Amino acid sequence: MNITLEQAEKIIDTAKEKAISINTKMNIAVVDSGANLIAFVRMDQAWLGSTDISIKKAKTAIFFGMKTGSIGELSQPGGPLFNIEHSNGGLISFPGGIPIKDESGKIVGAIGVSGSSVENDHEVAAAGVAALSVFA
Amino acid sequence: MNITLEQAEKIIDTAKEKAISINTKMNIAVVDSGANLIAFVRMDQAWLGSTDISIKKAKTAIFFGMKTGSIGELSQPGGPLFNIEHSNGGLISFPGGIPIKDESGKIVGAIGVSGSSVENDHEVAAAGVAALSVFA
Amino acid sequence: MNITLEQAEKIIDTAKEKAISINTKMNIAVVDSGANLIAFVRMDQAWLGSTDISIKKAKTAIFFGMKTGSIGELSQPGGPLFNIEHSNGGLISFPGGIPIKDESGKIVGAIGVSGSSVENDHEVAAAGVAALSVFA
Amino acid sequence: MNITLEQAEKIIDTAKEKAISINTKMNIAVVDSGANLIAFVRMDQAWLGSTDISIKKAKTAIFFGMKTGSIGELSQPGGPLFNIEHSNGGLISFPGGIPIKDESGKIVGAIGVSGSSVENDHEVAAAGVAALSVFA
């Protein structure tokens, strides 16, 4: 039901390659289906503040089984989940966190990426998620 | 790669003089490039609540290598970094925190100032940053 | 009822001189009678972990109006205050924190020092406390 | 002054090999000289509770520039640093955390390992530290 460390490392390596290819310096975290950290890397000169954000993005994606950006659409002022970020020791609800699914569509983990624009963060996270297919 | 205590004290003394010259009472903090506190002062009768804010401003500026106010422009409702303040044990994203660079442009620390309007906070922080040039 | 920033800076400068004279690198914090930080310095190459400890020592000394080491004598296993360190967000109960009194004997603040042996920490803290007499 | 991600990954890979060779399942963390996380892995089936412990061991080793077990010898009941573990958001003071030094002897980071007996944790951490010499 969980991704393995070997899979997490493959996901992170692929995400790191993507980060390099788009000239960014990222923090990249992978958590299991229980929201517990499996693996993490901070690329040289990446923002220090993005370590916590990348881990919180991965956890947020697992907590609700959806992309972090989807939470953010609901947590705006006037929205149904306004300020949900106060829960769970702090959520991050902008893009960069994505659930990871196995072949059957079951969520087995999540990736969180932080270090650049949210568009870049999401692109690097998506590249990491795509890497899991090599195990399928 | 980090500023020294002597430099931090010069920065704080200069910021304090500026605070006095514009008739404000400030909390002033300096952190190193690893976001660890080097020096801090709270001027007599300055707001107690601004102690934590000044330290968080300095840390926020180091965490992302930019002025705190720049984070705040992105963290508004509907913005790309909405509620980023929930990360890292609490960020402060309004003006008053500024990275400190050495001659080569490398970030070696940051200053955070709190105790008046954000315009005044930023002005005092900027005065502190300018003081480092005496070592250049 | 509180020491001023000018007094706190004199206390810290004197403590710093003592630290240098005994060849140590210290973190030195001064809090007011309300347990709120007034001033802090971390000497170059001083332990990073001693920043929090020096501040907690100063706060612990104010919290109970006594030297931190006196709390530690009571907080040992089997003692009347066993594990009191769990309170107030974390106390430090070994030597290095000392209340600061004015001429009338009233407590107006406290100093906390950390960075070497507890004997050295206490010696540097005591030197700082002694500096206040120049204002008497 | 800090180890690179490439070095941290080499350290973790070597530590992981050692963990496998002695039939243990470990959490392994590496922090830089500012106590900020660089890289982390949790081996499959390793204790969940050891994730935080491994990170805290690495931070504790940097905070005081010494092996975590050396802190623990001083923090026992009746010892000079009793209950120091309450500082810095929680220290871990038993073996498994070791500073990492460069060729000149300067501390550039630390490793923390948790998941088995403290003897095994320390052995795996030491193997990781030894890996840095390949960069010398």
Side-chain angles (χ1 to χ4, degrees), chain A residues 23-72:
Chain A
N23 200 27
T24 58
K25 301 172 186 308
M26 296 294 195
N27 287 259
I28 309 168
V30 173
V31 300
D32 65 18
S33 63
N36 297 295
L37 192 64
I38 299 180
F40 167 83
V41 301
R42 171 162 53 90
M43 294 171 67
D44 297 337
Q45 282 87 51
W47 289 331
L48 289 184
S50 284
T51 297
D52 186 56
I53 291 174
S54 67
I55 295 172
K56 281 186 164 57
K57 282 182 178 175
K59 292 192 175 188
T60 299
I62 274 293
F63 284 154
F64 303 103
M66 64 182 78
K67 297 174 185 175
T68 48
S70 300
I71 303 286

Side-chain angles (χ1 to χ4, degrees), chain C residues 15-94:
Chain C
K16 198 164 53 171
E17 288 168 19
K18 170 60 75 173
I20 293 169
S21 76
I22 63 171
N23 199 28
T24 58
K25 299 171 189 308
M26 294 296 194
N27 286 260
I28 309 168
V30 173
V31 300
D32 65 19
S33 63
N36 297 295
L37 192 64
I38 298 179
F40 166 83
V41 301
R42 170 163 53 90
M43 295 171 67
D44 297 337
Q45 283 87 49
W47 290 330
L48 289 183
S50 284
T51 297
D52 185 58
I53 292 174
S54 67
I55 295 172
K56 281 186 164 56
K57 281 182 179 175
K59 292 192 175 189
T60 298
I62 274 294
F63 283 155
F64 304 102
M66 62 182 78
K67 297 174 185 175
T68 48
S70 300
I71 303 287
E73 292 174 8
L74 302 170
S75 69
Q76 298 295 317
L81 303 183
F82 176 54
N83 268 348
I84 189 174
E85 293 86 358
H86 286 269
S87 69
N88 296 287
L91 300 179
I92 293 294
S93 59
F94 45 82

Side-chain angles (χ1 to χ4, degrees), chain D residues 10 14 19 25 31 46 48 53 60 64 76 79 81 83 85 90 95 97 102 110 125 129 131 136:
Chain D
K10 175 70 180 174
T14 305
K25 300 172 188 309
V31 300
L48 289 183
I53 291 173
T60 299
F64 304 101
Q76 298 298 315
L81 304 183
N83 267 349
E85 294 84 358
D102 67 11
V129 171

